[in-house]
Amino acid sequence: QLLSFHDYGSRDNKLENIWACNALPAGEGASGLFAIMCQVNHACTCNASAVWDKDTGFKLLRAFQPIKKGEEVLITYVDTEKGRTARQRHLREKFGFSCTCAMCVSDETEEVWQEISSLKSQIPALIFNPIKGILVAGQLLTLERQQQAP
């Protein structure tokens, strides 16, 4: 089954390419190959996340929102706080594809995404100003919902 995993990379060793392309974080300083999780596709506007459960030692798929029957479960393979150019470069170099999600194909989305990143960067300081924190949270929710709207 291991040899059927996606093989992308410039290494001479097929197994090294499979590992580099498919390994996921598995606890502190560790990574692993998870047969089912490696089949989940990418979108910057994902609806789920792959998380490590240290208590059970399992990689879990957690939904951010209700996922309708027949709807594809998507996780992100990149740091979505980075701009489109950086995200696309990382996806091409590490996985060999370009993302075509709504966030990546819309010109106006990039400006909104930069605003989202700017608001998120304010979060640590907001612990000292809860009222501003509530306002920033409201702005973030509004912007992120707009990004996810079809």
Side-chain angles (χ1 to χ4, degrees):
Q1 184 178 12
L2 177 63
L3 293 176
S4 68
F5 283 27
H6 185 68
D7 169 18
Y8 180 79
S10 58
R11 296 164 188 84
D12 291 333
N13 185 315
K14 180 177 177 80
L15 291 176
E16 288 179 6
N17 287 330
I18 288 172
W19 182 269
C21 187
N22 294 282
L24 296 167
E28 184 117 3
S31 56
L33 292 174
F34 304 90
I36 294 173
M37 205 67 69
C38 289
Q39 296 177 41
V40 180
N41 286 324
H42 161 86
C44 297
T45 52
C46 57
N47 56 14
S49 173
V51 296
W52 179 253
D53 186 329
K54 65 180 179 183
D55 295 330
T56 63
F58 287 103
K59 191 75 169 179
L60 304 175
L61 193 59
R62 294 239 167 102
F64 295 143
Q65 62 204 35
I67 299 174
K68 298 175 184 150
K69 183 178 181 177
E71 182 181 354
E72 185 174 16
V73 177
L74 299 163
I75 62 174
T76 184
Y77 300 173
V78 296
D79 177 354
T80 55
E81 290 189 30
K82 297 194 185 280
R84 176 180 29 238
T85 302
R87 292 191 315 268
Q88 291 287 6
R89 183 180 327 108
H90 178 79
L91 291 168
R92 277 190 308 277
E93 289 173 0
K94 181 159 184 177
F95 303 103
F97 71 90
S98 295
C99 183
T100 58
C101 75
M103 183 184 299
C104 287
V105 297
S106 171
D107 289 335
E108 61 191 49
T109 303
E110 187 68 12
E111 291 172 13
V112 175
W113 196 245
Q114 293 302 323
E115 186 176 351
I116 289 170
S117 294
S118 172
L119 289 169
K120 285 183 176 180
S121 71
Q122 297 176 37
I123 291 173
L126 296 176
I127 192 167
F128 303 109
N129 189 342
I131 293 173
K132 185 174 180 185
I134 291 169
L135 294 173
V136 168
Q139 289 175 298
L140 276 169
L141 284 171
T142 300
L143 288 169
E144 289 183 344
R145 284 184 181 141
Q146 288 172 355
Q147 293 304 311
Q148 295 173 359

